[in-house]
């Protein structure tokens, strides 16, 4: 491929110009042109790993997915939802401040108090409490339905040490209570609340109890930053995703960028494999490099390959 200077969108020459942006990589397109969420991205998984996923589905157990960054842990949830036609993935990104209640539901008590005050000033009925309750990702996953939703609990190891144990009861019982609704009088036993996510809808909660009919497909990811309690591990099916070898990397490139992308990537592939150590590089970094190469970018330019294939750990 002939390298040109045309790929340089920013030149640092202080000259203002109208620049035509090229098409984004497939994995960085957020809509399909009609405003809908971007199209499904191909996902490659080995037969042995796929069998572990199927086992978790049969057992109705959470799937605990471990592996180095870039091995496809989070993407697996989207692949399952796509292949089984289970709708958009419900996502709960865990951090050090995450608590179980936030994933179950949120209650805007202040908003309800303010609205009640305004309505009483106008002499109208108090607002429905359901308008101020919104289910979280986990709460929405537990709404009773004939087909389960897929729930991605991303990077659980970043959460509080007690969070896995907090999840045990919900996962075992398949239900949770909304106290603000369970305390209402009998004539208000049924309340409509709003669910989480792009398919938000109103669902009826009876006596404050949300209980699943089909246990959701729960995919929990971990980067191995700490151990989980034995009681939690016992209730999960574990899947460790290996780092892809050279053959799998070629298949991944072809799946995302087409077979023709393999014609000029041997040097990039070998550079990636030579630099990769456990946790040091991620597969999407190789895809980035190949995409730039296809766009005419001279990756041999000083520092550019290092910028694309940079280490994921250590000081910056």
């Amino acid at each position: 491929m002939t390298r040109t200077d045309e790929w340089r969108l920013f030149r640092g020459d202080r000259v203002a110009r109208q620049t035509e942006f090229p098409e984004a990589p497939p994995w960085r397109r957020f809509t399909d042109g009609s405003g809908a969420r971007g199209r499904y991205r191909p996902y490659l998984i080995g037969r042995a790993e796929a069998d572990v996923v199927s086992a978790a589905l049969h057992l109705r157990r959470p799937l605990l997915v471990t592996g180095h960054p870039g091995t496809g842990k989070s993407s697996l949830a989207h692949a399952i939802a796509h292949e089984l036609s289970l709708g958009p993935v419900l996502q709960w990104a865990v951090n050090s401040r995450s608590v179980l209640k936030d994933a179950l539901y949120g209650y805007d008590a202040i908003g309800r108090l303010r609205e009640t005050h305004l309505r009483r000033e106008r002499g109208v009925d108090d607002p429905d409490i359901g308008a101020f309750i919104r289910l979280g990702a986990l709460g929405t996953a537990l709404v009773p339905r004939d087909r389960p939703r897929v729930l991605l609990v991303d990077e659980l190891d970043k959460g509080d040490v007690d969070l896995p144990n907090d999840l045990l009861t919900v996962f075992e019982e398949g239900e949770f209570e909304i106290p603000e609704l369970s305390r209402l009088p009998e004539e208000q036993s049924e309340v409509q609340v709003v669910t989480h996510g792009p398919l938000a809808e109103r669902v009826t909660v009876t006596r404050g109890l949300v209980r699943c009919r089909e246990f959701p497909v729960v995919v929990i990811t971990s980067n191995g930053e700490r151990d989980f309690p034995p009681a939690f591990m016992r209730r999960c099916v574990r899947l460790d995703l290996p780092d892809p070898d050279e053959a799998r990397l070629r298949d991944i490139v072809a799946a995302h960028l087409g077979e023709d992308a393999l014609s000029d990537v041997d040097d990039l592939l070998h550079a990636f494999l030579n630099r990769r150590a456990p946790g040091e590089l991620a597969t999407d970094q190789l895809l980035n490099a190949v995409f730039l190469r296809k766009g005419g970018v001279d990756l041999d330019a000083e520092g550019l390959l290092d910028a694309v294939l940079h280490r994921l750990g250590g000081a910056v």
Side-chain angles (χ1 to χ4, degrees):
M1 177 183 294
T2 302
R3 312 295 176 204
T4 70
D5 196 49
E6 296 178 0
W7 71 271
R8 288 186 169 88
L9 304 180
F10 175 75
R11 304 188 181 188
D13 56 8
R14 302 181 300 280
V15 176
R17 55 178 65 86
Q18 290 292 326
T19 301
E20 185 72 25
F21 273 68
E23 189 174 47
W27 51 92
R28 294 297 295 170
R29 298 170 195 165
F30 299 100
T31 65
D32 61 4
S34 65
R37 188 67 179 171
R39 66 178 178 84
Y40 166 72
R41 301 175 182 97
Y43 187 84
L44 275 67
I45 186 171
R47 174 59 66 86
E49 291 78 19
D51 287 347
V52 175
V53 175
S54 292
L57 296 175
H58 278 282
L59 295 171
R60 306 304 200 271
R61 289 291 188 182
L63 182 69
L64 177 60
V65 187
T66 59
H68 295 133
T71 51
K73 299 187 296 296
S74 300
S75 298
L76 176 57
H78 296 273
I80 295 172
H82 169 78
E83 188 169 321
L84 302 183
S85 300
L86 297 178
V89 174
L90 298 164
Q91 301 187 55
W92 179 26
V94 176
N95 57 50
S96 60
R97 300 178 301 278
S98 296
V99 294
L100 177 61
K101 181 180 177 298
D102 294 338
L104 294 175
Y105 75 98
Y107 172 47
D108 184 7
I110 295 177
R112 185 190 179 202
L113 182 63
R114 183 187 303 114
E115 182 65 19
T116 299
H117 178 72
L118 292 174
R119 285 178 174 238
R120 289 179 178 177
E121 285 184 340
R122 298 196 300 267
V124 297
D125 293 338
D126 290 349
D128 181 7
I129 187 175
F132 302 93
I133 292 180
R134 188 181 187 94
L135 299 183
L138 175 54
T140 299
L142 292 172
V143 168
R145 49 174 59 89
D146 294 331
R147 287 178 61 78
R149 294 288 299 274
V150 177
L151 171 68
L152 171 62
V153 182
D154 208 12
E155 299 189 333
L156 181 61
D157 49 342
K158 292 188 180 299
D160 184 82
V161 66
D162 292 326
L163 187 56
N165 282 329
D166 293 340
L167 284 168
L168 282 181
T169 300
V170 177
F171 284 158
E172 284 300 289
E173 302 299 329
E175 65 181 33
F176 70 97
E177 182 185 55
I178 302 177
E180 292 84 355
L181 299 184
S182 60
R183 293 193 295 260
L184 294 174
E186 183 64 27
E187 60 269 19
Q188 295 179 302
S189 61
E190 293 189 347
V191 177
Q192 285 197 328
V193 301
V194 180
T195 60
H196 171 88
L199 297 182
E201 58 183 340
R202 287 193 172 275
V203 296
T204 300
V205 177
T206 303
R207 295 184 177 85
L209 184 66
V210 179
R211 177 185 294 154
C212 69
R213 187 177 302 131
E214 275 289 340
F215 187 73
V217 178
V218 181
V219 177
I220 303 171
T221 71
S222 169
N223 289 323
E225 295 184 3
R226 64 177 175 82
D227 295 330
F228 295 122
F232 178 81
M233 295 295 294
R234 180 168 60 86
R235 290 167 170 83
C236 295
V237 174
R238 181 167 179 175
L239 172 62
D240 186 40
L241 292 179
D243 293 325
D245 58 18
E246 181 174 348
R248 176 59 58 83
L249 287 172
R250 290 183 181 276
D251 290 341
I252 292 173
V253 170
H256 284 83
L257 297 172
E259 291 287 345
D260 61 328
L262 295 173
S263 61
D264 191 31
V265 299
D266 284 352
D267 59 330
L268 296 179
L269 186 60
H270 294 153
F272 177 85
L273 291 170
N274 289 335
R275 295 173 182 224
R276 187 179 70 179
E280 290 292 330
L281 293 177
T283 304
D284 57 355
Q285 291 175 282
L286 174 63
L287 290 173
N288 290 339
V290 176
F291 179 79
L292 290 175
R293 172 68 61 80
K294 283 189 62 178
V297 177
D298 181 11
L299 283 172
D300 296 325
E302 184 178 358
L304 189 53
L305 187 59
D306 290 337
V308 176
L309 299 183
H310 60 84
R311 292 175 53 203
L312 300 180
V316 177

